[in-house]
Amino acid sequence: MRYALAVRRPAAGLVVHSDQGSQYMATRSKELIARHGAQQSMSRRGNCYDNAHAESFWSRLKAELLDGGSFSELEEAKLEISHHIAYYNAECCHSAIGYRSPNYFETQLQTTSQFCPA
């Protein structure tokens, strides 16, 4: 999350949605989110449907990347997961957003939002 916030530099008001895992409930995570002007949103305890997009992502990552076995070193795992996330965001077309990649959809949304006053 630190990396994403530093690189992407989202505008204040970003909503960070997660489950109620201990890493998201931790004071340091809450402070990090608040420091960047973001809001924290959590799903209800034990309800995976509240966080369906994230659950879908993790399901795909496990099926596409981890079904082949395990990694021999932590650095190998970090590199492969990083490559998978880059591929997922830049190239994978998702039916929920009109068969576009998340990066393309976000760019298109930002472009059209500039012309539509809130």
Side-chain angles (χ1 to χ4, degrees), residues 66-114:
L66 303 178
D67 276 354
S70 60
F71 299 103
S72 58
E73 296 180 8
L74 179 58
E75 288 306 313
E76 179 188 4
K78 287 180 179 180
L79 183 63
E80 291 298 322
I81 291 169
S82 174
H83 286 165
H84 183 80
I85 291 171
Y87 161 77
Y88 182 90
N89 285 326
E91 298 179 36
C92 280
C93 295
H94 303 270
S95 61
I97 53 176
Y99 295 96
R100 298 179 198 110
S101 72
N103 287 354
Y104 180 83
F105 180 79
E106 180 183 31
T107 301
Q108 188 178 27
L109 183 65
Q110 288 173 346
T111 302
T112 57
S113 295
Q114 291 175 0

